[in-house]
Amino acid sequence: MSDPLARRYGLLLLAYPSEYRERRGDELLGTVLDDASPQQRWPSGREAVSIVAQGLRARLGAARCRTPGAVWSEGLQMGALLLLGFAVAGPVDDLFQGAGWSVRTGIVVLLALAGIVATLRARWIVALALTAAGLTVLLLDRWLSWWFGAAVVALAVLAVRFRSARRARSAEWLLVAPAAVAVAQLPDRVALPVGVAVIAGFVLVCLIGVALDPRIPIAGAWLLVAIALDNTAGFRLYGDIPDSDTRFVVHPAPVSYVLLAMVAGLFLAGHVRSRQLTRL
């Protein structure tokens, strides 16, 4: 590949997965070179963006989601994995902060990790049972984790509505747990405006990502669901003595409505894009 234009197109084609390039790389390269003008030395900006976008879609496996139902089932699965990752992050973050662990906390972490594995394998009923068990253990300690709660809802929808849509995810998704631990420590180390900017940036990334894969906003929205619910309802401690007066209260914060509006926007963006792709 001595031609400079061919080399530059070849670099862009690296966006595609290796097995795809092995099967169709020469064909794709030949197609774009045939369409190029004799004097052309660089790919056009629009063409470069299109090649990279299609390559990333192939890497994400978005092309196989040919119906809105497939998009929603895989988006829910990804969302459940993200939620369970953050369910692990909370107790681990407490350990980093020096709070220590009880036997009950260890059980919760093990249930969340087992739930991640079951969700990776698309075992909806098993994952739902493990996640519900983790939520129950926390409730016995008068603690409502909306990471577990939202994951229970997502997995219940998968078990009831998409029971036949079972596609295992790559083991690389196991990295969601340590990644969530790192992100979970961020709010304690940054000022509030930075935290708001992080959420806004997260939503923006999801909205941009919908062009590549409509599952991205659907999965990302579930994290905002958990955050919104955490600001709406839960057990609150009254008084200075631990467990002396813990009550379940429903008191939505103004930010909850903003977050839920973002959730609706992300769900709508993913659904509209999935229907557009169905018609292509």
Side-chain angles (χ1 to χ4, degrees):
M1 193 184 295
S2 57
D3 182 15
L5 181 61
R7 289 200 305 271
R8 288 156 186 161
Y9 274 123
L11 291 174
L12 292 175
L13 291 175
L14 291 175
Y16 285 85
S18 58
E19 63 273 13
Y20 192 98
R21 295 198 306 273
E22 290 173 2
R23 287 187 291 107
R24 300 193 57 194
D26 292 340
E27 176 187 345
L28 289 172
L29 183 59
T31 299
V32 294
L33 288 175
D34 288 342
D35 292 338
S37 64
Q39 295 79 25
Q40 186 175 342
R41 292 293 177 265
W42 291 87
S44 67
R46 183 175 181 180
E47 194 175 27
V49 171
S50 177
I51 292 173
V52 172
Q54 292 302 318
L56 292 176
R57 280 180 53 79
R59 282 187 180 274
L60 293 168
R64 67 170 178 265
C65 297
R66 299 186 181 276
T67 65
V71 170
W72 274 94
S73 65
E74 294 204 16
L76 283 167
Q77 183 185 21
M78 293 175 179
L81 287 169
L82 292 173
L83 289 165
L84 289 171
F86 275 87
V88 174
V92 174
D93 184 46
D94 290 342
L95 186 62
F96 285 155
Q97 299 295 331
W101 273 14
S102 65
V103 173
R104 184 169 292 178
T105 303
I107 292 173
V108 169
V109 171
L110 288 176
L111 287 170
L113 290 173
I116 289 175
V117 174
T119 305
L120 281 173
R121 304 308 304 162
R123 306 299 182 188
W124 310 139
I125 301 297
V126 175
L128 177 59
L130 290 166
T131 305
L135 178 62
T136 302
V137 171
L138 288 173
L139 287 173
L140 292 175
D141 204 25
R142 299 183 70 79
W143 182 263
L144 178 55
S145 168
W146 282 112
W147 303 111
F148 271 108
V152 165
V153 175
L155 290 168
V157 173
L158 284 168
V160 174
R161 177 64 179 83
F162 300 105
R163 191 169 184 177
S164 61
R166 295 173 56 181
R167 185 176 184 86
R169 304 237 67 81
S170 166
E172 294 173 354
W173 272 86
L174 287 171
L175 295 174
V176 73
V181 172
V183 174
Q185 296 190 64
L186 182 63
D188 294 332
R189 291 163 171 74
V190 298
L192 179 60
V194 177
V196 173
V198 168
I199 292 179
F202 173 77
V203 173
L204 181 61
V205 168
C206 288
L207 290 174
I208 294 173
V210 73
L212 295 175
D213 189 342
R215 298 171 300 177
I216 291 175
I218 293 174
W222 282 98
L223 291 181
L224 299 185
V225 168
I227 296 172
L229 291 175
D230 189 55
N231 284 278
T232 300
F235 291 101
R236 299 291 185 265
L237 181 65
Y238 291 83
D240 298 329
I241 303 175
D243 300 326
S244 61
D245 192 8
T246 304
R247 308 173 193 170
F248 180 79
V249 296
V250 178
H251 185 67
V255 70
S256 300
Y257 301 110
V258 176
L259 290 170
L260 290 176
M262 291 178 176
V263 168
L266 291 176
F267 281 154
L268 181 62
H271 184 68
V272 169
R273 181 58 177 164
S274 68
R275 294 183 67 85
Q276 288 175 343
L277 293 175
T278 301
R279 292 194 291 267
L280 293 179

